[in-house]
């Protein structure tokens, strides 16, 4: 496997690790009352499955597995995107790129393609504490993904 392939695999693994830590933070914030209602990844997956006509075909257990799989798949794929950005922008410190990547990922999703596709409301229609919790979770994701990516390098 070439260097680009290794970098992408590191990105996917780092994104998976970032998703684990992000998920823990989301659950902690939910327990603290900052995440009213459903967790965002669960709600987005439910809306995706409704849109494509699959939600009613899934048992409760199958749905639970599906939204978690979608959440981790998206997080892992986003880790690959992080690896690509590292290639474009060159070596920079994860302490700065990680949080920035997390905020950018949140903004592109929750201010961009999710509301535009009707899969999640824009931040202006979501309780402020839930928006804040979601941003915190994404900063955690980006920071963890960047740190894991750095730790996984061959050098």
């Amino acid at each position: 496997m070439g260097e680009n392939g290794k970098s992408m695999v590191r990105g996917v693994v780092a994104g998976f690790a970032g998703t684990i830590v992000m998920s823990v933070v989301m659950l902690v914030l939910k327990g603290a009352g900052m995440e009213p209602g459903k967790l965002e990844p669960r709600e987005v997956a439910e809306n995706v499955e409704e849109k494509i006509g699959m939600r009613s075909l899934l048992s409760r257990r199958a749905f639970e597995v599906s939204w978690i799989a979608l959440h981790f798949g998206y997080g892992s794929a986003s880790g690959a995107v992080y690896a690509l950005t590292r290639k474009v922008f060159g070596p920079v410190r994860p302490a700065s790129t990680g949080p920035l990547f997390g905020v950018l990922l949140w903004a592109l999703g929750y201010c961009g393609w999710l509301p535009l596709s009707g899969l999640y409301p824009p931040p202006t229609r979501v309780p402020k504490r839930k928006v804040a919790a979601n941003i915190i979770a994404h900063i955690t994701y980006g920071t963890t993904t960047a740190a894991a990516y750095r730790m996984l390098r061959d050098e």
Side-chain angles (χ1 to χ4, degrees):
M1 180 181 304
E3 183 53 38
N4 285 340
K6 288 179 185 178
S7 176
M8 294 299 287
V9 169
R10 280 197 320 263
V12 168
V13 172
F16 189 85
T19 306
I20 291 171
V21 177
M22 173 191 203
S23 300
V24 170
V25 167
M26 291 172 83
L27 292 172
V28 168
L29 292 171
K30 183 161 184 63
M34 287 186 67
E35 284 272 0
K38 299 172 186 169
L39 292 175
E40 291 86 349
R42 186 182 202 284
E43 191 171 342
V44 169
E46 189 170 42
N47 292 339
V48 166
E49 291 169 3
E50 284 287 338
K51 247 189 197 273
I52 63 174
M54 291 214 35
R55 180 64 188 98
S56 62
L57 303 175
L58 297 175
S59 68
R60 179 170 167 78
R61 175 177 267 181
F63 171 69
E64 295 300 327
V65 169
S66 75
W67 82 259
I68 293 168
L70 285 170
H71 177 53
F72 276 86
Y74 189 82
S76 297
S78 295
V81 172
Y82 177 79
L84 287 174
T85 63
R86 294 287 306 224
K87 288 288 183 191
V88 171
F89 295 110
V92 287
R93 302 194 55 81
S96 58
T97 59
L100 181 61
F101 181 72
V103 169
L104 184 61
L105 193 62
W106 174 82
L108 290 172
Y110 288 92
C111 299
W113 74 269
L114 288 168
L116 288 173
S117 63
L119 294 174
Y120 197 81
T124 55
R125 292 189 24 229
V126 176
K128 286 183 174 102
R129 69 178 189 246
K130 188 168 180 132
V131 172
N134 198 5
I135 293 170
I136 291 166
H138 279 80
I139 290 170
T140 301
Y141 167 83
T143 302
T144 305
T145 299
Y149 185 83
R150 183 177 174 101
M151 287 177 13
L152 292 168
R153 68 179 185 212
D154 293 336
E155 303 158 20

